[in-house]
Amino acid sequence: ALSPSAHIDTQHEDHVHDVAWDYYARRLATCSSDGTVKIFAADGEATAHEATITGHGGPVWQVCWAHPRYGQVVASCGYDGQVLVHKEDAPGRWTAVHAWSGGEGASVNAVCWAPEGAGVLQLACAASDGTPISRHSSASIRLTTDEIPRPAR
C-alpha cells in the first residue's frame, strides 16, 4: 500500500469524485467528471496507471471493486443514469460485461458490491429520482436485474 504521504497524479481531466482500493490494496480505481474510470497499480510509494475505462456519457460519481473471487471486476455509476460493470480480460484490457440504466433522466449516484460471503456476485445501486434500489446478481458476471421494491412510508 502507499505511504501516508503519497500523492497520485490521476491524469483525470476534471474533478475526481471517488476512489476505491481493491480487496488486497494493490490496485486503486478512481472516477471523475471527465467520464472515465482509471485503474492504478500501487506498490509501496509507487503507482502506475494501468488502464482508462470509458463508457459513461457524463460524470462518474462512484466506483467499487468486486471481491477477487470473481476476477478483477469494477462497477461504476454516473450522471448519465448508467451502471457499468467491467472485467479485466488481460492486463490493462477491460471489457464491459453489464450495463444498466436507471430511471429516465436520473443520475445513478451509488453502487456497492455485497460481501463475498453472499455466495454470488451482487451489486446494489440507487438513482437520484427515487426509483427503487436495483440489485444485480450473477455468479458468472452475466448479470440479471431485479428491482428491490421501495419500502412503504
Side-chain angles (χ1 to χ4, degrees), residues 12-87:
H12 281 291
E13 297 174 11
D14 209 334
H15 299 289
V16 173
H17 296 290
D18 194 28
V19 59
W21 286 107
D22 75 345
Y23 183 81
Y24 298 109
R26 294 183 189 143
R27 296 174 104 184
L28 198 61
T30 62
C31 63
S32 166
S33 282
D34 66 9
T36 66
V37 171
K38 293 188 183 266
I39 307 295
F40 298 88
D43 182 20
E45 292 192 28
T47 58
H49 177 257
E50 292 185 332
T52 298
I53 301 171
T54 60
H56 282 282
V60 183
W61 301 134
Q62 194 170 32
V63 62
C64 60
W65 292 88
H67 190 277
R69 164 185 180 177
Y70 302 104
Q72 294 297 301
V73 179
V74 296
S76 59
C77 63
Y79 181 77
D80 60 0
Q82 290 193 94
V83 173
L84 300 178
V85 177
H86 286 84
K87 182 174 184 178

Side-chain angles (χ1 to χ4, degrees), residues 120-141:
V120 295
L121 190 61
Q122 293 187 54
L123 179 69
C125 58
S128 64
D129 68 349
T131 56
I133 293 172
S134 293
R135 184 187 73 213
H136 309 263
S137 64
S138 172
S140 65
I141 314 246

